[in-house]
Amino acid sequence: MNLKELSEKLGLSQTTVSRALNGYPEVRESTRQKVLEAARAHNYAPNTRAKTLATGRAMTIGHVLPVSKKHEMVNPIFADFIAGAGEIYSDNGYDLLLSVVNDEDEEASYRKLVSRGAVDGLIVHGPKVDDRRIALLQELSVPFVVHGRSTEVRERYSWVDVNNKRAFQRATEFLLDLGHRRIALLNGLADMDFATRRGAGYVAALEGRDVPLRPDLVFHDEMTENYGYETCRKALAMEKPPTAFVVSSIIPAIGLRRALSEAGLTMGRDVSVVIHDDALSYFSNDGDIPAFTSVRSSVREAGRKVAHALIDMITNPGTDLPQVMLEATLTVGQSTGPAPALRQALKQEV
């Protein structure tokens, strides 16, 4: 089906249909949704070459991923983010260009993509506390949105992020409310900005209750299943092991649960666990009573919002740079319960 046939089916002009498909702001939202639904129903796909010639755009969004020994971005979290962003790209006629490069080639890759006009905009993944890519992309004058933030970058830039500090402060406070005082933090790599903010939330919760911070209960590493497993084993072997854990992802939490099981401990009864839940497709934490108590924020929804923000910047140059803060929701599951000492005291009262 071509544009003319789709327009005739809808009873709209070709100009209106084209503008609706391309996200022009003057098209009413109800009309845009009607056009998008019809395009999907009739398997309509715009001629990318014609669209590129008409708009002067590449109709492509770029993602540059460094292959790092310290931080592997191609993981289930990235896959769900791309699934969300991809929905918006598809709805608006954009393709995705993924460049996987060595760490030392990352800057050159950005420069090459922009100089060739291969992309209309870029998404920045996994920002560090002081991320040099932001200044580079500002220098290159290309639209970009950061998934996350970079604490030490002072110039304004566009980002979509979760309120990580508040989420982890709330998670830790929840465990403190249950009587836990020896609470371990299994965080991401220390130089990642999200990990810095989550650590700050954890510390703020302890300080708010006058609970001393134990540096030996704070861990940083790549968020793998094995990291959760090995770290939990190490923590349980301490003279005074933690009675609770706050974990930065469901992936290491699965490893932690394995370690607890091997030690003959029951999660939620003997040891409590609160996780950050990205609502991943292949690591579901759903159900009437989820397996894990969590602070939840969908990474797929973040992908949609990042894509929307970037496409708005591309189609409406010169507008204010969007900055979107997402709040995580606390959901109580099976992985938390009163601290052992509190549980024993309650039994004695009975």
Side-chain angles (χ1 to χ4, degrees):
M1 176 174 287
N2 58 35
L3 180 63
K4 180 180 178 182
E5 291 168 336
L6 181 63
S7 302
E8 289 173 351
K9 279 189 173 291
L10 288 164
L12 299 170
S13 70
Q14 292 184 48
T15 300
T16 299
V17 172
S18 177
R19 287 178 175 273
L21 291 169
N22 287 293
Y24 282 81
E26 61 265 30
V27 180
R28 286 186 301 177
E29 182 61 22
S30 58
T31 301
R32 191 177 79 87
Q33 289 301 325
K34 178 182 176 181
V35 171
L36 291 174
E37 289 170 7
R40 283 192 290 266
H42 296 288
N43 295 317
Y44 170 78
N47 184 310
T48 304
R49 180 176 174 79
K51 194 171 184 180
T52 299
L53 291 171
T55 63
R57 300 186 192 130
M59 301 311 297
T60 301
I61 304 297
H63 298 254
V64 177
L65 297 183
V67 179
S68 172
K69 294 179 180 178
K70 293 185 178 180
H71 186 55
E72 179 55 74
M73 275 302 302
V74 183
N75 55 34
I77 296 172
F78 175 74
D80 263 49
F81 177 91
I82 287 296
E87 293 176 22
I88 308 307
Y89 297 161
S90 178
D91 286 347
N92 290 274
Y94 281 83
D95 292 323
L96 181 155
L97 177 62
L98 177 61
S99 297
V100 181
V101 300
N102 293 322
D103 283 21
E104 60 271 20
D105 298 328
E106 188 175 6
E107 179 175 336
S109 181
Y110 280 120
R111 292 186 181 279
K112 185 177 179 181
L113 287 172
V114 175
S115 65
R116 287 170 47 210
V119 298
D120 299 307
L122 290 151
I123 305 296
V124 177
H125 297 273
K128 296 185 178 182
V129 174
D130 184 10
D131 204 298
R132 294 178 297 174
R133 292 174 296 178
I134 294 172
L136 170 64
L137 295 177
Q138 289 173 330
E139 173 198 327
L140 296 174
S141 298
V142 61
F144 70 94
V145 178
V146 180
H147 179 211
R149 284 176 287 168
S150 183
T151 300
E152 294 184 8
V153 174
R154 300 303 175 197
E155 289 191 32
R156 186 177 174 87
Y157 59 94
S158 180
W159 52 261
V160 175
D161 196 14
V162 179
N163 193 341
N164 284 296
K165 180 178 179 181
R166 177 60 190 143
F168 272 59
Q169 182 173 350
R170 184 69 190 92
T172 307
E173 287 172 346
F174 180 77
L175 291 168
L176 291 166
D177 289 342
L178 290 170
H180 295 278
R181 293 298 179 267
R182 297 196 304 276
I183 302 171
L185 171 64
L186 270 65
N187 209 345
L189 292 165
D191 63 344
M192 303 302 292
D193 196 83
F194 77 86
T196 298
R197 293 177 188 275
R198 291 177 183 181
Y202 166 81
V203 171
L206 296 179
E207 290 179 346
R209 304 292 180 88
D210 294 323
V211 176
L213 172 66
R214 281 183 52 181
D216 62 329
L217 291 183
V218 177
F219 304 91
H220 291 277
D221 209 334
E222 183 67 25
M223 296 190 296
T224 64
E225 191 271 352
N226 191 62
Y227 162 50
Y229 174 74
E230 293 294 347
T231 304
C232 183
R233 290 184 63 194
K234 182 190 301 183
L236 293 176
M238 293 177 175
E239 183 178 347
K240 290 185 176 181
T243 64
F245 293 82
V246 183
V247 188
S248 265
S249 168
I250 194 172
I251 300 172
I254 291 171
L256 184 149
R257 181 170 60 183
R258 177 161 66 96
L260 292 177
S261 178
E262 286 186 4
L265 299 172
T266 300
M267 188 174 68
R269 185 192 67 192
D270 302 310
V271 176
S272 288
V273 180
V274 180
I275 70 167
H276 178 76
D277 180 13
D278 288 293
L280 301 178
S281 301
Y282 295 101
F283 293 91
S284 176
N285 187 41
D286 294 322
D288 293 337
I289 304 179
F292 291 99
T293 295
S294 67
V295 281
R296 190 179 206 198
S297 180
S298 168
V299 72
R300 184 173 294 223
E301 181 59 24
R304 295 188 187 102
K305 290 186 180 297
V306 167
H308 269 305
L310 183 55
I311 291 172
D312 283 347
M313 291 171 65
I314 293 167
T315 56
N316 300 292
T319 57
D320 285 342
L321 297 175
Q323 296 181 336
V324 180
M325 179 73 84
L326 306 174
E327 294 293 340
T329 57
L330 178 67
T331 303
V332 179
Q334 302 172 47
S335 65
T336 48
L342 178 57
R343 190 188 302 276
Q344 189 61 34
L346 292 172
K347 284 183 180 178
Q348 291 174 356
E349 287 182 10
V350 174

